[in-house]
Amino acid sequence: MKVYKTDEVRNIALIGNAGSGKTTLAEAMLFEGGIINRKGDVGSKNTVSDYNPIEQDYGNSVFSTLMHTEYNGKKINIMDTPGMDDLCGGVVSSLSVTALGLLTVNASNGIEAGTEAAARHADNAHTPLVVVFNQLDHENSNFDSTLDQCKTAFGNKTTVVQYPVDPGTGFSAIIDVLKMKMYTYKDDSGKPEISDIPESELEKAEELHNELVEKAAENEEALMELYFDKGTLTEDEMRKGIKLGMLDLTLFPVFCTCARKSIGVGRLMEFITNIAPTPKEKKMGKIVAGKEVTMDASQPPSLFVFKTAVEPHVGEITYFKVMSGVVKEGLDLINSKTGNKERLSQVFVPDGKSREKVDELHAGDLGCTVKLKETRFNQTLAAKEIGTAFAPIEFPTPRHTVAAKAVNDSDDEKVGEILSKIKYEDPTYVIEYSKELKQQLIHAQGEYHLNVLKWYFDHVHKVDVEYLKPKIPYRETITKPAQADYRHKKQSGGAGQFGEVHMIIEPYEEGAAPKTMFKFGDKEQKISVRAVEEHKLDWGGKLVFVNSIVGGSIDARFLPAILKGIMEKIEEGPLTGSYARDIIVYVYDGKMHPVDSNEISFKLAGRNAFSMAFKNASPKILEPILNLEVWVPSDRMGDAMSDLQGRRAMIMGMGSEKGLEKITAKVPQKEMFKYTTSLSSITGGRGVFSISFDGYEKVPADVQEELLKAYEAEQEEE
């Protein structure tokens, strides 16, 4: 296979809503470049991408797929990505290693929820965009309406380079206002007849050409001066200005295609090879360790792993971008995370599930290898002398959480093993076992994302798994001081057990000093503060332990045992068994036995005294509160607000951002289950939200009553 130099490589990602024709466009590009001699189609399940069984079952892309084509002596690496935003991991990773996104738009449907989501991901990755109006042969296709929607979504960045002549079932011709030519397609071969623009279209074409010239000139002073002097620009000058605008993310050229019939595909590929940014022209990933390198074949070699996949009969396949130097078969590189050596036993150029061996890949190119020992996605391999490490790709925070449980208890361990591996293939799953909740939690992007995982459990691993509503990590605390005494006494023949502890507890408040006097009824209790220990609890909040013993009623050597007993009980609050927090404990008196007192006696006395005092201190349940930011279309604002109020949300603010209405709120975590599904339903898939942990607050009385009853019922069952 031919070896391509850095400036001969173009890396593009096909992004957009599901059903906009990304996979069909990829197929047409491979056909146009001679990589395949016959186009497959999604319905027949024979495309180069969408080869995975789940993709053929679902009828749409689930994973990103790397393939390549060739045009004008240039290699175009293509990442075909999923259109469902639940499957955004493949979109985010693909945009991080490509220098151009082709944002495909179904010209019948216009701008859809997935279009907006894909554009947001491209903006976050600072990746230039070309907007491709596809499926212009459909009877309901509407170029003008789609263009208006595009301008509403992206503003005046949207700039027409092509428009269709007679879109609809008879669509066969495109006017190109950069070339100022008409491209007519008489069959499905993709070979156009290029002619002058007919008189009937000339006025419209010249108007759009002048708009394109102005947009190109805006991107450089020298071009603007030429434009003022001459009133126009040459095609080469326009290309330069268009590229600068694309790199600044201020110009989104609009192209027209019918990928199914190969209409406009060759011209789009010509534009990509002539104008699309080269790997050098997009800002390189941030270097976080080792020596600086540039995307140059003369540098020492380094590569960044952007995807890991497992395929039957092959094992683990590692997909990478060459960040510097030249990568060859047999090359030894160092994993920047582990410090261990990895040998690239083979280097491939993949096209979907097929892989072709290649002698070498130069900086900027994409490829894959197999049988690496321990290198996973988001890791760097680099020559020993540079030790370079690139910043990892940042994936979206999960928006939907469920607990997973094997239907048969004997499969529990197997489920854990499967989940521990899945995060390497799709990093947008976050897997954790919660010791506190005693649940295996899956944090995902949404219900569709979870359905994909369930498909694998059912069809690949043959394990029955059920998804459950996750428990909530409540906390317990107290609201007033309380006092308790407890004597632990046990006699059994020989040495017995004896320990007595007198204790006061009160709510902890940040910055407050321990008290020296308490009053319970008519009785006052003076406290002598001898020593204070402040313990930060792993689950949040604090426990302050105050030694107030006077006169040696309890030996100092038994105080750690009392604290240990309290710490054991604080892990299981008396109301719901949840962790307790924010309590000051004063141990002010007690009794010992010269023979029978020991550590276990005082641990049990301290534990039980604490439990008794806690129940008398007006205990309250605290619930986790989340910060929520929601963006919705203005016409769905009322419905979104009503939904949040039904979730006990406290609205903190409203405004406009990203062309949408923004709501800021604080919402109990308990009320956020399946919010991603509800918001999608309310907004037609256009709503977006992000959540972060805020803190703990007391639950309302009715919610506390409900939780207490549920815990009692659970205890009775056990």
Side-chain angles (χ1 to χ4, degrees):
M1 186 180 178
K2 180 182 171 183
V3 173
Y4 295 86
K5 299 204 164 36
T6 302
D7 60 3
E8 296 173 329
V9 173
R10 302 290 182 272
N11 297 320
I12 68 170
L14 303 183
I15 61 175
N17 199 78
S20 60
K22 299 181 297 298
T23 298
T24 305
L25 179 57
E27 201 74 7
M29 293 173 81
L30 266 64
F31 178 73
E32 184 73 32
I35 302 300
I36 55 176
N37 52 29
R38 187 170 173 271
K39 286 190 293 182
D41 69 86
V42 174
S44 301
K45 303 181 181 181
N46 59 355
T47 54
V48 174
S49 63
D50 287 8
Y51 62 88
N52 197 290
I54 187 175
E55 294 175 313
Q56 297 189 351
D57 200 6
Y58 280 22
N60 56 259
S61 301
V62 172
F63 306 104
S64 60
T65 301
L66 173 59
M67 56 205 122
H68 86 288
T69 188
E70 187 185 67
Y71 202 89
N72 283 348
K74 305 286 196 301
K75 180 188 183 191
I76 304 174
N77 288 314
I78 303 167
M79 296 294 305
D80 183 21
T81 70
M84 303 281 293
D85 199 41
D86 270 18
L87 309 176
C88 61
V91 180
V92 171
S93 59
S94 297
L95 287 167
S96 72
V97 294
T98 53
L100 178 68
L102 296 191
L103 181 63
T104 59
V105 180
N106 182 324
S108 299
N109 299 342
I111 300 297
E112 301 175 83
T115 320
E116 294 172 338
R120 280 193 298 272
H121 293 310
D123 189 54
N124 291 339
H126 306 291
T127 301
L129 289 179
V130 167
V131 185
V132 181
F133 288 7
N134 191 28
Q135 297 160 325
L136 282 159
D137 64 326
H138 194 278
E139 61 181 351
N140 296 323
S141 66
N142 190 324
F143 177 83
D144 293 332
S145 171
T146 303
L147 182 63
D148 288 343
Q149 291 175 44
C150 217
K151 287 182 174 178
T152 300
F154 310 126
N156 62 2
K157 297 176 181 182
T158 310
T159 308
V160 174
V161 173
Q162 294 179 339
Y163 71 89
V165 180
D166 297 327
T169 51
F171 170 62
S172 64
I174 295 166
I175 304 291
D176 190 304
V177 300
L178 172 58
K179 292 276 191 183
M180 284 306 281
K181 293 290 180 183
M182 182 166 83
Y183 290 70
T184 305
Y185 298 82
K186 296 189 173 175
D187 54 34
D188 294 357
S189 69
K191 306 302 176 201
E193 184 183 283
I194 305 173
S195 60
D196 290 336
I197 297 170
E199 191 72 32
S200 59
E201 296 291 336
L202 205 52
E203 186 180 342
K204 180 178 180 180
E206 284 178 345
E207 184 184 331
L208 290 169
H209 174 78
N210 290 335
E211 285 180 19
L212 182 59
V213 169
E214 281 186 41
K215 288 292 289 183
E218 285 173 4
N219 297 298
E220 190 185 63
E221 250 181 72
L223 289 174
M224 190 62 90
E225 286 175 16
L226 283 171
Y227 174 60
F228 285 141
D229 289 345
K230 300 188 299 180
T232 189
L233 295 175
T234 66
E235 188 180 325
D236 282 345
E237 289 163 349
M238 287 175 72
R239 282 180 182 169
K240 181 183 179 184
I242 290 168
K243 177 181 267 195
L244 289 170
M246 289 170 66
L247 285 166
D248 284 344
L249 309 185
T250 57
L251 195 157
F252 296 170
V254 173
F255 277 75
C256 298
T257 63
C258 167
R260 187 173 60 87
K261 296 179 180 177
S262 292
I263 295 175
V265 174
R267 173 67 186 112
L268 175 62
M269 291 167 70
E270 181 186 26
F271 179 85
I272 289 167
T273 55
N274 286 337
I275 298 182
T278 67
K280 283 183 178 178
E281 289 173 317
K282 188 187 177 191
K283 191 176 178 183
M284 201 175 194
K286 186 180 177 185
I287 293 171
V288 293
K291 293 183 180 176
E292 292 283 332
V293 291
T294 56
M295 199 159 283
D296 193 306
S298 64
Q299 298 263 307
S302 66
L303 61 85
F304 177 76
V305 176
F306 65 89
K307 176 183 171 179
T308 309
V310 176
E311 288 188 15
H313 316 300
V314 180
E316 202 166 272
I317 304 172
T318 305
Y319 294 85
F320 60 82
K321 180 176 185 177
V322 184
M323 304 300 282
S324 63
V326 177
V327 167
K328 300 180 181 181
E329 190 175 294
L331 181 67
D332 288 335
L333 297 171
I334 304 299
N335 183 311
S336 62
K337 184 175 182 181
T338 65
N340 296 332
K341 183 174 77 174
E342 289 274 23
R343 172 161 292 182
L344 305 183
S345 57
Q346 295 169 301
V347 177
F348 298 100
V349 169
D351 287 310
K353 66 181 175 184
S354 66
R355 289 169 290 280
E356 187 176 348
K357 283 182 73 171
V358 64
D359 292 333
E360 59 187 43
L361 293 173
H362 285 231
D365 212 342
L366 307 181
C368 69
T369 188
V370 293
K371 297 177 181 173
L372 294 184
K373 290 179 291 186
E374 55 183 8
T375 299
R376 302 283 184 273
F377 82 93
N378 256 346
Q379 294 181 358
T380 303
L381 294 178
K384 189 174 183 179
E385 66 267 26
I386 54 173
T388 305
F390 294 94
I393 301 164
E394 292 185 11
F395 291 97
T397 305
R399 297 169 291 192
H400 187 50
T401 300
V402 294
K405 185 182 183 304
V407 173
N408 300 312
D409 291 346
S410 58
D411 288 329
D412 276 344
E413 194 173 324
K414 190 175 181 182
V415 168
E417 286 173 10
I418 293 165
L419 290 175
S420 68
K421 290 175 183 173
I422 199 75
K423 62 187 178 186
Y424 294 118
E425 289 186 65
D426 184 348
T428 56
Y429 291 113
V430 176
I431 310 298
E432 67 159 319
Y433 179 77
S434 172
K435 181 186 166 190
E436 175 187 354
L437 305 177
K438 299 179 178 66
Q439 284 186 317
Q440 178 76 64
L441 300 178
I442 304 172
H443 307 281
Q445 294 300 316
E447 286 199 73
Y448 193 89
H449 199 206
L450 289 166
N451 290 342
V452 168
L453 187 54
K454 186 74 166 61
W455 188 96
Y456 270 87
F457 276 117
D458 292 344
H459 295 86
V460 177
H461 304 294
K462 312 289 186 190
V463 177
D464 283 338
V465 168
E466 58 181 339
Y467 291 151
L468 308 169
K469 191 173 181 178
K471 296 175 185 174
I472 302 298
Y474 292 108
R475 299 288 179 262
E476 297 181 15
T477 195
I478 56 173
T479 57
K480 70 174 189 180
Q483 186 271 340
D485 309 340
Y486 189 86
R487 174 180 290 182
H488 174 75
K489 185 175 181 182
K490 189 175 179 184
Q491 205 68 44
S492 56
Q497 292 180 359
F498 183 90
E500 186 175 318
V501 172
H502 297 205
M503 179 187 296
I504 291 173
I505 64 172
E506 69 164 339
Y508 167 79
E509 290 178 11
E510 194 69 46
K515 293 190 174 69
T516 55
M517 175 69 76
F518 287 94
K519 188 172 182 179
F520 299 102
D522 297 331
K523 184 184 173 188
E524 289 186 345
Q525 179 64 57
K526 287 186 178 179
I527 296 293
S528 174
V529 177
R530 305 278 304 272
V532 179
E533 295 177 29
E534 194 173 280
H535 298 271
K536 278 190 175 178
L537 303 171
D538 292 342
W539 50 89
K542 290 180 181 176
L543 172 79
V544 178
F545 185 74
V546 182
N547 173 6
S548 304
I549 297 293
V550 289
S553 57
I554 299 177
D555 218 6
R557 65 194 169 100
F558 293 131
L559 290 175
I562 296 171
L563 176 60
K564 189 175 180 183
I566 293 165
M567 292 299 270
E568 282 181 5
K569 194 59 192 169
I570 210 170
E571 286 193 28
E572 193 181 331
L575 296 180
T576 60
S578 305
Y579 293 140
R581 57 177 280 170
D582 296 328
I583 300 165
I584 303 178
V585 178
Y586 301 84
V587 177
Y588 65 92
D589 201 359
K591 289 181 181 175
M592 296 184 296
H593 187 279
V595 176
D596 293 346
S597 285
N598 53 26
E599 288 186 5
I600 188 72
S601 303
F602 277 100
K603 186 180 95 165
L604 292 169
R607 176 190 171 102
N608 287 302
F610 177 78
S611 182
M612 289 168 62
F614 196 100
K615 288 172 184 173
N616 295 327
S618 294
K620 291 287 181 186
I621 299 170
L622 306 175
E623 64 180 340
I625 304 295
L626 304 178
N627 292 312
L628 173 69
E629 291 184 320
V630 194
W631 293 266
V632 298
S634 56
D635 60 336
R636 306 297 171 91
M637 184 73 162
D639 292 339
M641 289 283 286
S642 297
D643 178 72
L644 286 175
Q645 284 158 2
R647 295 174 185 273
R648 295 195 283 126
M650 181 183 290
I651 307 299
M652 306 302 290
M654 289 179 282
S656 296
E657 195 178 288
K658 306 177 185 176
L660 297 166
E661 298 301 308
K662 181 182 177 183
I663 307 167
T664 308
K666 293 186 186 297
V667 195
Q669 183 179 325
K670 177 180 186 288
E671 308 298 337
M672 286 297 287
F673 185 60
K674 290 194 174 182
Y675 181 65
T676 181
T677 308
S678 298
L679 183 66
S680 180
S681 175
I682 290 166
T683 64
R686 298 184 112 91
V688 184
F689 75 96
S690 68
I691 50 174
S692 61
F693 177 72
D694 178 62
Y696 276 88
E697 290 181 10
K698 291 170 190 168
V699 300
D702 59 325
V703 176
Q704 175 148 329
E705 191 61 34
E706 177 191 315
L707 291 170
L708 290 174
K709 283 178 182 173
Y711 183 66
E712 281 172 21
E714 193 181 299
Q715 295 300 103
E716 281 174 19
E717 272 181 36
E718 289 178 5

